Amino acid sequence: MKRYPYTGKMQITAVFGQTGRQWSHPHYGLDMVGQSDKTIYAVDGGTVLTKNAHGSAYGNHIDIGHPDGTTTLYAHLSQVFVSPGEVVALGQAIGKEGATGNVTGPHLHFEAHSAEKFRFGEDLLNPASYLSISSKENSVDSIVGPWQGVTTAGQQNIVVEDPDRPQFKIAGAGESGAILFGRRYRVFVDLGGRKSLEVSSLRCTFQIIKTILLEPNLSVVTIYNLSPQTEGTIIKEGQKVVIEAGYEGDQYGVIFDGNVVQPVRGKEEGTTYTLTLVCMDGDRYVNGGFVGVSLVAGQSQRDVVNACLSRATNPIEAGSISEGLAKTKLPRGKVLFGLGANYMRQLAQSSNSTFYIADGKANIISPADVPQGQIFDLSAESGLVDVPYQTEYGVNARMLLNPRVNVNSLIRIDNRLIRGAKMRLGQPVRPLDEDGIYRVYKLTHIGDTRGPDGWYTEVETVSQAGALPGMLAGALMNPW
């Protein structure tokens, strides 16, 4: 399953195999220029192999090795966000379009190779075919052929965008300042064995719940009017669901990547067939990540975390881990034997922290930890809809669907926009944050790819250093 290296429209300025211009050989890749956001995204998950290692002609560049045995190259970048050895996810931001190296202007030079290691000019794949780039008119696949017989006529300035994407302006939001245009989405069902189905052309609805409380991150995805054969394939072989959603521009990205735990067939109004996929993020680690390891005196609690995550039978990556755990040393040896998630919960509770899983990564945070990244300023200009209102713990708000907001993110809301809470007997109302900065502890993405309504992100927050509500009393309690 592949995606484009840009989130919005991109313009192809040179194709694979093209001759002439400044090249001494047929063009090895595909040159692209982003028409809106200039951020470059990984077209597939994998491991960064090298960075700036193949001469000055490519300028700032990286190559990524993918699980399917292919390698992709991203060249002429103005900024590089990743380093060799780093594991990147599908759709992760890896750099910025630039004009470094041997270029005539800012663009991305993208190559695909059919080998696990990049070799200059060898094992070349057609990047357009690799990315399945095509449009109903001026198909890139149809004009990009073998090196022999390729001409430059008619091959310049081809604008490519995702097919079957509705284009319409969102009224009543973002109309002053930056304007948000049409919804954008892609929905994939991973069948295993390097096979997947993209069902974006059909109507899909989803409700995705993410939380840093001790609850499963749950997604309920409904796909409408599948053919009987495709429906049967998904029921028998469907393993994961990946959903990308948002709007044109930089407000787009992966909002869910989790395992299918239950397919449910159904019918609406007696005529419309549906297939509902109940999915969870991280359930294989929580329910089947057994660990058996011994640690010695003097090792830190962070070593315990690493053992629980990497040496479990169903390992999981580390996300945000509280720095305080590295300071606490084990006074004596420790044996871990059981579910790694249970030990992670015990660690979190012993340090007044919270353990949760989000986007396939395990996290332990404390109220004193400052989340990474920028604070998102939530207002009418950036997508705020309805009126935010005060709750017992903080503030709840609704915005246009935004993948840049995640659990443990910080958002800023002008306190003058917030509707105050009514006092109830025995429950004092906590004051709003003086700076208007709140930490998201739960969010819900709601979407309908073919309906006029339902393209929102709802957040529940506490003040930026507030305690989290609803913690379970026992470390061994498992709601999953």
Side-chain angles (χ1 to χ4, degrees):
M1 134 179 56
K2 306 291 189 298
R3 56 154 291 160
Y4 297 160
Y6 293 93
T7 56
K9 291 183 180 180
M10 58 191 182
Q11 193 171 44
I12 296 175
T13 58
V15 297
F16 177 73
Q18 184 174 326
T19 57
R21 299 178 75 175
Q22 73 270 31
W23 307 303
S24 58
H25 52 74
H27 194 217
Y28 290 161
L30 197 64
D31 286 352
M32 296 173 273
V33 178
Q35 299 300 288
S36 53
D37 182 25
K38 303 295 184 180
T39 304
I40 307 300
Y41 299 86
V43 301
D44 198 359
T47 303
V48 179
L49 302 178
T50 55
K51 173 182 175 181
N52 299 347
H54 305 298
S56 60
Y58 281 134
N60 295 328
H61 66 280
I62 58 173
D63 50 273
I64 299 176
H66 304 290
D68 62 0
T70 62
T71 303
T72 52
L73 173 86
Y74 310 77
H76 309 312
L77 304 176
S78 63
Q79 299 179 54
V80 178
F81 301 156
V82 294
S83 302
E86 183 175 342
V87 177
V88 298
L90 167 73
Q92 178 176 332
I94 57 176
K96 281 279 188 180
E97 176 191 300
T100 58
N102 185 13
V103 298
T104 58
H107 70 281
L108 169 69
H109 174 82
F110 175 79
E111 292 183 17
H113 295 254
S114 60
E116 296 180 353
K117 185 177 181 180
F118 173 86
R119 293 183 293 184
F120 179 74
E122 299 184 31
D123 312 307
L124 293 166
L125 295 173
N126 184 334
S129 299
Y130 185 81
L131 297 177
S132 300
I133 293 178
S134 64
S135 60
K136 296 178 181 178
E137 190 175 356
N138 295 328
S139 169
V140 177
D141 288 332
S142 67
I143 66 172
V144 179
W147 287 358
Q148 296 78 13
V150 175
T151 64
T152 59
Q155 295 182 354
Q156 304 300 309
N157 300 327
I158 302 164
V159 177
V160 180
E161 57 182 319
D162 285 350
D164 302 317
R165 188 189 308 158
Q167 302 291 326
F168 56 91
K169 182 178 177 181
I170 304 299
E175 296 195 0
S176 60
I179 297 178
L180 298 174
F181 282 90
R183 300 175 183 178
R184 185 183 177 195
Y185 55 85
R186 300 177 80 184
V187 182
F188 300 92
V189 180
D190 185 358
L191 304 178
R194 301 179 182 176
K195 297 187 300 180
S196 66
L197 287 173
E198 182 176 0
V199 295
S200 307
S201 59
L202 301 174
R203 181 191 177 193
C204 300
T205 63
F206 55 81
Q207 183 181 42
I208 299 166
I209 301 174
K210 296 183 178 182
T211 175
I212 58 179
L213 304 180
L214 197 53
E215 300 175 9
N217 290 338
L218 181 69
S219 174
V220 179
V221 184
T222 301
I223 309 170
Y224 289 75
N225 293 322
L226 287 164
S227 68
Q229 180 180 2
T230 304
E231 183 181 66
T233 300
I234 292 176
I235 291 174
K236 293 179 182 178
E237 304 178 33
Q239 298 183 8
K240 295 180 64 178
V241 168
V242 179
I243 302 175
E244 301 174 3
Y247 293 90
E248 293 288 352
D250 60 355
Q251 194 165 309
Y252 178 80
V254 177
I255 60 173
F256 186 79
D257 184 345
N259 301 316
V260 178
V261 296
Q262 182 188 22
V264 181
R265 299 180 64 195
K267 185 185 291 187
E268 289 187 2
E269 300 175 354
T271 57
T272 304
Y273 289 90
T274 63
L275 178 63
T276 299
L277 301 177
V278 181
C279 312
M280 289 186 182
D281 177 11
D283 67 299
R284 293 183 180 177
Y285 172 75
V286 172
N287 291 319
F290 288 91
V291 61
V293 64
S294 298
L295 300 170
V296 299
Q299 289 188 274
S300 68
Q301 298 284 29
R302 181 59 194 261
D303 294 323
V304 178
V305 169
N306 293 337
C308 289
L309 301 183
S310 62
R311 302 181 68 174
T313 52
N314 289 309
I316 192 172
E317 295 182 44
S320 298
I321 304 297
S322 178
E323 295 181 358
L325 294 177
K327 302 176 183 178
T328 306
K329 306 294 182 180
L330 294 177
R332 61 184 66 86
K334 184 179 182 69
V335 176
L336 306 178
F337 187 78
L339 284 173
N342 288 343
Y343 287 108
M344 293 287 284
R345 294 191 188 102
Q346 292 174 7
L347 274 175
Q349 290 188 340
S350 67
S351 59
N352 192 29
S353 303
T354 301
F355 164 65
Y356 69 98
I357 294 177
D359 302 322
K361 295 183 179 181
N363 306 269
I364 293 181
I365 62 165
S366 72
D369 293 330
V370 178
Q372 298 179 355
Q374 298 178 335
I375 298 174
F376 183 77
D377 189 15
L378 185 56
S379 62
E381 288 76 17
S382 60
L384 176 67
V385 295
D386 296 337
V387 178
Y389 59 94
Q390 186 181 11
T391 66
E392 179 184 358
Y393 302 105
V395 175
N396 290 4
R398 172 185 280 197
M399 69 191 79
L400 298 178
L401 196 149
N402 194 336
R404 292 189 296 170
V405 177
N406 209 335
V407 288
N408 201 38
S409 294
L410 292 180
I411 64 174
R412 179 188 177 277
I413 306 176
D414 189 338
N415 286 337
R416 293 174 297 178
L417 302 177
I418 299 172
R419 186 177 72 234
K422 295 180 180 179
M423 182 179 294
R424 290 187 294 176
L425 187 63
Q427 291 187 346
V429 177
R430 293 177 173 85
L432 297 173
D433 186 83
E434 293 182 357
D435 300 318
I437 298 176
Y438 301 91
R439 187 195 299 249
V440 177
Y441 70 84
K442 184 176 182 179
L443 67 79
T444 304
H445 294 302
I446 301 171
D448 185 341
T449 63
R450 287 293 184 268
D453 301 318
W455 204 254
Y456 302 114
T457 297
E458 298 175 348
V459 295
E460 300 178 24
T461 73
V462 293
S463 60
Q464 53 186 313
L468 299 173
M471 300 300 296
L472 293 184
L476 297 179
M477 295 180 66
N478 184 359
W480 294 40

